[in-house]
Structure formats: structure tokens, C-alpha cells
Amino acid sequence: MGKIAKALGTAAAAMTIPLVAQGTAYADIPIGQTIQGNATYYDAAGYGACGTQINAATEMLVAVSASYWTTPNPNNDLLCQGVFVEVTANGRTVRVPVKDKCPSCSPSHIDLSLPAFRQLADPAQGNIPVTWKFVR
């Protein structure tokens, strides 16, 4: 009986690890923390990192740095579950859903869809200073 109890204890501990990791994943996303950074834009279409069809040429959305993604499969990531980015530049603010990952972005850099970028600046600028934060 001692061996069975020990095996059950080990199995229970192994099953708890993923739950703990998932429970603290939101801690990896600095919700509400203002970040000074920069924004660029893109206009690609296809599947975004959240596993849904996107069109960055026509939709309001944002791609954020890979450093904020919390799971190996981005389709299941907490960022894809109602997390938005609120971006301010030039006295204007937009709120856009996280729908994609920007592998080349540093943690302070976001890649806005073309329509979202247009709300803040002329696309001819290409790269603008912004303040932004994750919100739910």
C-alpha cells in the first residue's frame, strides 16, 4: 500500500505543475503597466498567433513581442483570451485586441495593424514613439 500511495502522490504532484504554471501565467503579462516604447505597423493577412484569420490591412489589432506569450502553443495563450493593448501617441489613444505575435519585436515594441496605426499617425512615419499597456 505504501508504494501505491507514493505513486499516487507523485502523479498528483505531476498533474499540479501545469495548473500552477497556468495559474501564474497572467503574472507574465504586465496588465495595466504603462510601457514607453515604439510602434510600427504591418498589413499581412492569414492566421494570427491566436489561431484565427486576421487581416492587418483592414482590421484593428496588434502583434506583441514573443516575450509576453506564456504557452508553447500560442493558440491557447492567455493573450488570446480578451487581452487588449491600449496605445497612446500624438494625443490619441486606440484600444486593439492582441491577435498576433511579433517575433522580432523587443518587449517595448508593438506592431499595430495598418488601420490602428493610422488612428495614431501617418503610416509614412513608419515607426513612432508610443506609450502602451495591456488591458482586459
Side-chain angles (χ1 to χ4, degrees):
M1 208 126 67
K3 289 181 181 180
I4 293 172
K6 185 175 180 180
L8 288 175
T10 302
M15 289 187 293
T16 303
I17 291 170
L19 296 175
V20 171
Q22 281 184 338
T24 60
Y26 268 124
D28 297 333
I29 305 168
I31 302 287
Q33 178 184 348
T34 300
I35 298 168
Q36 299 287 331
N38 65 305
T40 51
Y41 72 88
Y42 73 118
D43 59 4
Y47 281 94
C50 293
T52 59
Q53 284 280 334
I54 62 167
N55 186 338
T58 60
E59 293 177 54
M60 298 282 286
L61 60 93
V62 65
V64 299
S65 171
S67 65
Y68 293 113
W69 294 79
T70 60
T71 60
N73 179 352
N75 294 347
N76 299 326
D77 203 277
L78 293 172
L79 283 170
C80 299
Q81 299 174 18
V83 175
F84 292 77
V85 170
E86 191 174 274
V87 189
T88 302
N90 301 318
R92 300 181 202 135
T93 301
V94 296
R95 182 180 172 171
V96 289
V98 174
K99 298 266 184 144
D100 210 356
K101 182 188 293 190
C102 180
S104 63
C105 291
S106 72
S108 63
H109 176 185
I110 55 175
D111 209 11
L112 294 166
S113 63
L114 180 57
F117 192 92
R118 277 191 179 127
Q119 296 287 317
L120 302 172
D122 182 342
Q125 289 182 270
N127 190 336
I128 59 172
V130 297
T131 56
W132 64 276
K133 62 185 170 185
F134 289 104
V135 296
R136 283 189 250 164

